[in-house]
Amino acid sequence: MSTGRSSTSVQSDSESGSGSEIRTYKGQERALRAGRLGTTGLLLSVLAASAPLMVVAGVMPTTYGVMGIVGQPLLFVILGVVLMLFSVGYAEMSRHVHNAGAFYAYIARGLGPTAGAGASVVALVAYSAMQVGIYGILGFEISGIFATYLDITFAWWIPALVAVVVVGALGWLKIDLNAKVLGVLLVVECALVVIFDVAAIADPGKEGLSLQAFNPETLTGAGLGTALCFCIAAFVGFEQAPVYAEETSRPQIVVSRVMFLAVGYAALFLALSAWALSVATGPGQIVKVAGEQGPGLLFGLTESRLGSTFTDVLHVLFVTGMFAALLSFHNVVARYAFAMGREGLLPAAFGRTNKTSGAPAAGSLLQSVISVAVVLAFAVTDDKPAGDPTVPVLHLFTWMGNVGALGVILLMAAASLAVIAFFVRRGAGRTQAGRLVASGIAGLALLAIAVYTVKDFDVLVGAGPGSSLSWILPGVIGVALVGGLVYGAVLRSAKPEVHARIGLGNEAFQLEKAAESESAAAQV
């Protein structure tokens, strides 16, 4: 695919153009504030998106009980290896391209601006869907806590809307303050899960400290494809590190370091926690028990080993962990909108930052408006009494979450191909051969997972065989992709200068300013 760029527009791949003269070029705040995040702050920000406690309490019991996959711990290890391979090329790309548009910027640099335009729309839809879906389960859990402990009942959408407002307000603040909020919540959340892991291993079920869950034979079964989709969604967050490249100190080092740390930590944490669940009940009983108790599995096991007080605290941290994920996704969507506005894919207002905090204010507001609209739409159709664990609030979580996961999987697969194209077209195929092979393997694996996701979408969203939801919901991502590609093609024809700078970020304005200077000098 042709990139449609001039020969000068692909210069300085390793420059982010974040100087003050770029930030205020033509009176616009076109750059995010540099140097706000170090390794620790960035790592905590991206790990928060994975909501570890939500995965342990929700995803793992579902994978055990509904899909019947005893080898879930091994599955996390395998997926960790795949995502490490993906990160090899993705991290190298981050050294050359610093852009808050991350996925779509990389895809634009490798596969061309039109493909980048398609990826930008998919990214905006996918991450927005994942965030909005969490509002549903957050509201449901908060209403349940108030009903259980305070005997106060109210509809799930009330705390959901309050969360939208709080997250939106934090989205306007400095990213380093956001990182501190995320960090505190994440550390406490993970610490409590690790305490459970230790307690489960110290007090195993009747089968003892069995390693049966790591036996490859436990990965067989009709539910494997669906389990792959669920489990890879648990890793979502690590790939967001390049989104913050413009706001980090030493992005060439910090971003790639954080990605490897995030994938390694997530794989270890998730595999250990999934194994601890199987040890606590026994591998021979985990499918049966998880099927009976569902999301209550973790809390039941902690109460019998660590007491009711610990379990009560865990319930509260379950909510704060979801809040941390909401804030993390909100920040990512706001920065994608900022990058798109800066490059002309969205109105120019989205490409400006808050002069006080340096945050992408318009993008933050856009995400808040979308969240309010979707939550209200599901609230209007909700005729169930407060505390009733049925539709539509849980549909909001499952439908939006899986639509978003599909989009992110496809973006990762496309980014793997873009990495290969990027380095081959620049004559670096031999020097980067190892990284390109790793990207190719990861890309093929991710495409296979995407196919399984679409094939089993009716199971993922709890719809019956033949349900229209099995094609309508993944069709949302399809429409976003096609719409973005058409938009990119129109820009190429109608506004070639806008099309040419897709994925370039501030670098485009460096080149634009240089061209204006040359023109002025020529006139003199």
Side-chain angles (χ1 to χ4, degrees), residues 29 221 260 369 379:
E29 293 280 312
F260 286 113
V369 170

Side-chain angles (χ1 to χ4, degrees), residues 349-390:
F350 289 99
R352 303 188 184 100
T353 60
N354 185 314
K355 293 183 179 180
T356 302
S357 66
S364 178
L365 181 60
L366 172 66
Q367 177 61 3
S368 296
V369 170
I370 292 173
S371 298
V372 168
V374 176
V375 168
L376 287 177
F378 276 81
V380 168
T381 60
D382 193 350
D383 59 354
K384 304 293 181 181
D388 188 340
T390 53

Side-chain angles (χ1 to χ4, degrees), residues 32-83:
L32 297 163
R33 301 287 173 86
R36 286 284 174 84
L37 291 173
T39 299
T40 302
L42 182 56
L43 180 62
L44 293 173
S45 294
V46 300
L47 283 176
S50 62
L53 183 52
M54 185 170 69
V55 172
V56 176
V59 172
M60 291 180 184
T62 301
T63 304
Y64 278 131
V66 178
M67 290 121 204
I69 302 298
V70 176
Q72 185 175 182
L74 178 59
L75 204 55
F76 282 119
V77 173
I78 293 171
L79 289 174
V81 172
V82 170
L83 295 179

Side-chain angles (χ1 to χ4, degrees), residues 431-457:
T431 58
Q432 300 287 353
R435 292 186 175 92
L436 302 191
V437 170
S439 293
I441 295 171
L444 292 174
L446 289 163
L447 281 175
I449 294 172
V451 170
Y452 271 120
T453 302
V454 175
K455 174 179 173 292
D456 295 340
F457 218 85

Side-chain angles (χ1 to χ4, degrees), residues 378-440:
F378 276 81
V380 168
T381 60
D382 193 350
D383 59 354
K384 304 293 181 181
D388 188 340
T390 53
V391 294
V393 58
L394 297 188
H395 280 171
L396 173 58
F397 176 64
T398 55
W399 292 0
M400 296 296 101
N402 285 298
V403 165
L406 173 61
V408 172
I409 293 169
L410 289 173
L411 287 170
M412 286 195 287
S416 297
L417 300 178
V419 167
I420 297 172
F422 178 84
F423 288 109
V424 169
R425 287 175 50 237
R426 283 155 180 76
R430 289 186 178 180
T431 58
Q432 300 287 353
R435 292 186 175 92
L436 302 191
V437 170
S439 293

Side-chain angles (χ1 to χ4, degrees), residues 89-179:
Y90 194 60
E92 183 63 21
M93 191 79 159
S94 74
R95 299 178 188 275
H96 297 261
V97 181
H98 306 154
N99 192 318
F103 269 138
Y104 92 76
Y106 292 4
I107 292 170
R109 291 295 187 95
L111 304 179
T114 300
S120 71
V121 179
V122 171
L124 207 58
V125 170
Y127 283 119
S128 294
M130 294 191 83
Q131 191 212 22
V132 173
I134 297 174
Y135 279 119
I137 194 68
L138 176 77
F140 175 74
E141 287 296 327
I142 291 177
S143 64
I145 288 174
F146 271 79
T148 301
Y149 297 104
L150 301 176
D151 199 25
I152 299 174
T153 59
F154 46 76
W156 64 269
W157 53 266
I158 295 176
L161 290 177
V162 171
V164 172
V165 174
V166 175
V167 169
L170 288 172
W172 279 63
L173 301 179
K174 297 177 181 179
I175 187 60
D176 48 347
L177 175 60
N178 277 243

